[in-house]
Amino acid sequence: MRRELRSYKDLPPGPITFETTRGFFKTGSWRTFRPVVELAKCKKCWICWKFCPDVSVRIREDGKGVEFDYDHCKGCGICANECPAGAIQMVPEE
Amino acid sequence: MVKKLINGNYAASYASKLARAQVIAAYPITPQTNVVELIADFVASGEMKAKYICVESEHSAMAACIAASATGARTFTATSSQGLLLMHELLHWASGARLPIVMVNVNRAVGPPWSVWADQTDSISQRDTGWMQFYSESTQELLDTVIMLYKVAESPDILLPGFVTEDAFYLSHTYEPVDIPEQAMVDSFLPPFDPPFKLDVDRPHGLGSLSMPHQWYMEMRYNIAEAMDLSRRRILEVEREWRELTGRSYGGLLDEYGTDGADAIIACAGTAASTAREVVDDMRKVGKRVGLARIRCLRPFPTEELRALGRRVPVIGVMDRCYTFGDGGPLFTEIKSALYQLRDRPLVKNFVAGVGGRDITMKTIEKMFENLLRIGSSGLDREKEWVDLKRPEVV
Ligand code: SF4
Ligand code: SF4
């Protein structure tokens, strides 16, 4: 939903953003470690997807597990820490 | 209608159940604990269909309420004193995000030294957070106000959070017969929460993102200011509806008693008002024209009501159960500022009393009235007076 904003009267009833601006900013370069998944070990429990604070774990279209959005993943390592199968390794960025 | 003998804390629990709160996140603190204990029982027994989230602090309790409210759930929490202070940052967040969370705060002194007794420092410290604030005088009023507050807070033109306070022990642990309204009646009064926007995976959008100085931050603050101003009228409307259903109402934002033709009145908030009522009755019987103005709602502030009162009454004593260091009692400074625009202003004097739960007795209040009647003719003696303070002996 796009609105013409001219005054306080045009604002939605709260600080909400209808369109995400995330696509404009690539923050992946902040990373020092990158998550790498070993698909053979992945149980497809989607725990990593649920826990990623940056919405950077994606479920693969072929359903074979997960992949990462390296344009936005900040390398926090939460996915690797939460993965019950040990399928995600954090490897140093070059 | 069922009458039950319950204390203020249980009245808060029943109110959250009657309002059909869907998510409760709370952390226990004396003297609030049995508010959330009873809710936990309701949820465990299935009597209340709600998600009860045990959290590790009050900061987290408010964070959980914020998240739940943002998805469109009706939320409730309760706290007191240090717990409320720990929530402070997120109180701003809740109002900024326009989430109508409802909370009960037990007014308890802030440490150190530790004190679990009545004092209003905790809630008054939250004046600028954008929360509506109601102070109750009775257990029944507490229960009724929580339900009314949901209706005000969730109004599409308001969308602001609010809390209702009860003085520690005077209300929180004192048992009174309370009318527990029928669920069907409350349902007819309070429709389900239906916010104009909510976090929804099918219609994704962001909540609370960045606003640059040239963008909309200032306008969003202005909208909060407008909503808070509008809430004054809404509070009165909702209270009228409640009175039609139950026969009970509490005087709107400023609850006046015996102010007609009064030579002096006392303004205060909380349970000390019920003691003051007794004193007003006794003194009126012997021909002393005194009255009471109870600040029922601190935010929004009853500015117009106080001005109307200030035009009629020549002397106002303001009794504060807390103090703003470096200034004065907070109700005192607020009331003075409301009255400043009047051409003929009444005398206003500050009594600081009952700090840390010290008893405010009828004798204490009677002495205040006597003093006010005196200064009505002789002029203001002292602007601020700490009442019943242990002072060094004067020889
Ligand atoms: S490392 Fe952190 S940011 Fe990157 S995918 Fe894992 S959880 Fe998300
Ligand atoms: S948490 Fe591990 S096992 Fe589960 S989906 Fe993610 S990578 Fe696969």
Side-chain angles (χ1 to χ4, degrees):
Chain A
M1 191 190 331
R2 190 132 191 81
R3 308 187 181 207
E4 186 67 36
L5 299 183
R6 290 175 193 278
S7 84
Y8 64 87
K9 281 195 182 297
D10 305 322
L11 292 174
I16 62 179
T17 325
F18 292 102
E19 276 167 279
T20 170
T21 52
R22 186 175 182 262
F24 305 145
F25 304 101
K26 297 214 190 318
T27 46
S29 63
W30 302 5
R31 191 173 53 231
T32 48
F33 286 86
R34 70 161 51 207
V36 176
V37 63
E38 201 179 320
L39 287 179
K41 283 191 186 169
C42 174
K43 296 179 196 296
K44 307 178 190 60
C45 64
W46 317 135
I47 287 176
C48 54
W49 171 83
K50 211 187 265 180
F51 272 84
C52 172
D54 245 318
V55 208
S56 293
V57 177
R58 286 193 299 237
I59 295 170
R60 288 167 61 103
E61 292 210 343
D62 62 11
K64 288 190 177 140
V66 295
E67 61 185 11
F68 302 98
D69 167 7
Y70 290 118
D71 283 343
H72 296 98
C73 162
K74 307 219 172 51
C76 68
I78 288 174
C79 53
N81 192 59
E82 294 296 337
C83 173
I88 302 175
Q89 296 301 317
M90 299 302 292
V91 298
E93 288 286 354
E94 297 299 315
Chain B
M1 185 180 83
V2 185
K3 284 236 182 206
K4 268 193 201 300
L5 192 63
I6 54 171
N7 63 33
N9 281 348
Y10 291 151
S13 325
Y14 275 101
S16 75
K17 177 159 86 87
L18 287 166
R20 296 190 186 276
Q22 294 160 294
V23 176
I24 290 93
Y27 191 79
I29 181 170
T30 302
Q32 155 266 31
T33 307
N34 41 19
V35 178
V36 293
E37 264 174 9
L38 184 60
I39 297 177
D41 281 351
F42 287 152
V43 174
S45 70
E47 213 180 313
M48 190 171 169
K49 301 258 170 303
K51 177 86 187 160
Y52 190 102
I53 308 175
C54 294
V55 286
E56 72 282 16
S57 75
E58 287 84 356
H59 192 272
S60 303
M62 188 46 59
C65 286
I66 287 171
S69 182
T71 66
R74 183 171 284 157
T75 54
F76 181 80
T77 186
T79 189
S80 181
S81 182
Q82 321 286 135
L84 183 64
L85 302 185
L86 183 56
M87 275 182 188
H88 176 79
E89 179 206 355
L90 288 165
L91 297 188
H92 282 283
W93 221 98
S95 61
R98 307 297 297 272
L99 302 170
I101 298 162
V102 169
M103 166 161 75
V104 163
N105 179 64
V106 187
N107 276 131
R108 162 188 149 180
V110 167
W114 287 116
S115 163
V116 295
W117 292 277
D119 185 301
Q120 292 164 346
T121 306
D122 55 355
S123 56
I124 288 194
S125 303
Q126 315 307 325
R127 262 185 310 191
D128 302 334
T129 56
W131 281 58
M132 291 178 275
Q133 292 199 16
F134 289 81
Y135 289 75
S136 27
E137 182 182 341
S138 73
T139 299
Q140 184 76 59
E141 182 186 354
L142 175 73
L143 182 144
D144 290 354
T145 307
V146 168
I147 297 169
M148 285 189 265
L149 183 52
Y150 274 110
K151 185 149 180 168
V152 174
E154 293 171 4
S155 303
D157 52 350
I158 311 286
L159 291 173
L160 285 173
F163 61 70
V164 186
T165 72
E166 46 165 341
D167 282 333
F169 301 102
Y170 293 106
L171 281 194
S172 68
H173 286 66
T174 304
Y175 284 71
E176 287 177 39
V178 172
D179 167 24
I180 314 278
E182 297 290 340
Q183 184 66 60
M185 198 268 278
V186 176
D187 289 346
S188 74
F189 171 80
L190 182 66
F193 178 35
D194 182 23
F197 65 94
K198 59 184 175 190
L199 296 185
D200 177 352
V201 286
D202 295 326
R203 291 177 57 235
H205 59 253
L207 178 69
S209 50
L210 183 74
S211 186
M212 305 288 273
H214 67 280
Q215 293 174 319
W216 298 101
Y217 185 91
M218 187 162 167
E219 285 70 23
M220 285 182 188
R221 295 277 125 175
Y222 179 79
N223 284 346
I224 295 176
E226 265 207 334
M228 193 59 103
D229 283 341
L230 266 177
S231 72
R232 290 192 174 90
R233 211 184 53 218
R234 191 77 187 116
I235 289 163
L236 299 180
E237 285 166 6
V238 167
E239 199 184 12
R240 264 198 300 277
E241 280 176 50
W242 187 253
R243 190 183 55 212
E244 276 161 26
L245 283 177
T246 64
R248 294 189 296 266
S249 64
Y250 301 96
L253 284 76
L254 186 72
D255 176 20
E256 297 184 29
Y257 186 70
T259 58
D260 282 338
D263 295 321
I265 62 142
I266 285 179
C268 64
T271 49
S274 64
T275 315
R277 266 176 223 277
E278 298 289 320
V279 181
V280 167
D281 287 346
D282 286 358
M283 292 183 76
R284 287 244 168 202
K285 269 185 215 138
V286 295
K288 293 182 175 160
R289 292 185 299 181
V290 293
L292 164 75
R294 179 172 68 99
I295 306 280
R296 175 158 179 263
C297 188
L298 182 80
R299 284 291 179 275
F301 196 63
T303 311
E304 285 311 320
E305 288 86 343
L306 281 160
R307 284 184 188 155
L309 185 66
R311 287 192 190 96
R312 294 188 277 126
V313 176
V315 185
I316 299 180
V318 183
M319 176 161 57
D320 272 292
R321 197 163 210 153
C322 57
Y323 199 72
T324 300
F325 303 115
D327 191 1
L331 295 182
F332 171 63
T333 56
E334 298 255 337
I335 289 174
K336 262 196 316 183
S337 107
L339 298 175
Y340 183 78
Q341 305 294 1
L342 293 182
R343 192 192 299 267
D344 296 308
R345 292 187 287 270
L347 271 188
V348 187
K349 173 165 176 170
N350 195 191
F351 296 108
V352 181
V355 170
R358 182 159 299 172
D359 246 353
I360 300 176
T361 63
M362 289 179 68
K363 193 81 216 144
T364 312
I365 294 177
E366 195 186 328
K367 274 193 275 180
M368 291 179 199
F369 274 128
E370 295 293 357
N371 176 268
L372 294 172
L373 292 170
R374 223 172 17 250
I375 64 174
S377 43
S378 64
L380 192 61
D381 47 1
R382 261 179 299 174
E383 197 184 11
K384 299 165 208 161
E385 187 174 328
W386 286 59
V387 177
D388 292 343
L389 184 76
K390 299 187 214 302
R391 297 171 193 279
E393 303 260 352
V394 186
V395 256

